[in-house]
């Protein structure tokens, strides 16, 4: 498989069911948090939504920036990467209005993200960003990128449901002193 080809297993998905939610609930109870819940949400999103690139970002509202706390492609998108998100339409929609963002084409990705060339260079042509919120405030985002035309409104609804399992981990991350969070 070449760098810009999407793995065939990334294209096979199935409907979300109660076993997926049970899997996430059990993952929350395990030690080694937040990695257990991050890995569990990633696995459920892979099976039910479909993705090639998956990241979880925490959101620091005071600094108006997001920080990558989980990634399935650390060589391309390492943890710890930060992005300022002030004054963009994406930030207003996702971080303030708590509405998912979906772009179905490479042009849509280019219009919203500075690193669009990296994504499209990997053969990715659609993106879905799910705001993770607690008490009416964004605490982070769950981000999936895949081939062009992949994501739908149904994927947004599934993403909001499974992404809600990330709220506690991201809230804790945002309220802990620097260095105390074990996200990798």
């Amino acid at each position: 498989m070449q760098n810009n080809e999407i793995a065939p297993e990334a294209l096979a998905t199935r409907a979300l069911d109660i076993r997926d939610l049970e899997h996430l609930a059990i993952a929350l109870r395990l030690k080694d948090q937040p990695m257990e819940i991050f890995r569990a949400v990633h696995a459920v999103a892979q099976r039910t939504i479909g993705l090639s690139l998956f990241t979880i970002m925490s959101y620091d509202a005071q600094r108006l920036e997001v920080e990558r706390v989980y990634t399935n492609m650390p060589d391309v998108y390492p943890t710890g990467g930060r992005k300022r998100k002030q004054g963009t339409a994406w930030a207003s929609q996702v971080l303030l209005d708590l509405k998912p963002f979906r772009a179905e084409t490479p042009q849509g990705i280019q219009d919203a993200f500075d690193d669009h060339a990296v994504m499209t260079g990997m053969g990715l042509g659609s993106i879905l960003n799910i705001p993770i919120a607690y008490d009416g405030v964004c605490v982070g985002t769950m981000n999936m990128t895949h081939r062009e035309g992949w994501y739908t409104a149904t994927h947004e609804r599934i993403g909001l449901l499974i992404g809600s399992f990330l709220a506690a981990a991201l809230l804790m991350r945002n309220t802990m002193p620097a260095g105390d969070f074990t996200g990798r």
Side-chain angles (χ1 to χ4, degrees), residues 23-88:
H23 177 72
L24 295 175
I26 290 167
L28 279 174
R29 301 170 58 95
L30 299 174
K31 292 192 180 284
D32 192 26
Q33 294 299 335
M35 289 309 295
E36 286 293 338
I37 193 59
F38 289 172
R39 286 189 290 256
V41 167
H42 174 200
V44 170
Q46 176 76 51
R47 289 190 302 261
T48 62
I49 297 174
L51 56 94
S52 293
L53 171 63
F54 181 84
T55 64
I56 299 170
M57 309 287 276
S58 68
Y59 174 57
D60 182 336
Q62 291 181 333
R63 293 184 181 177
L64 299 169
E65 68 181 16
V66 294
E67 179 181 356
R68 195 173 307 103
V69 296
Y70 180 88
T71 178
N72 71 329
M73 293 186 182
D75 292 342
V76 181
Y77 284 100
T79 58
R82 294 174 177 260
K83 297 179 183 181
R84 299 251 331 139
K85 290 294 183 182
Q86 185 175 10
T88 66

Side-chain angles (χ1 to χ4, degrees), residues 86-103:
Q86 185 175 10
T88 66
W90 182 93
S92 293
Q93 179 176 328
V94 177
L95 304 176
L96 301 178
D97 296 340
L98 305 176
K99 295 179 182 172
F101 173 83
R102 176 171 36 113

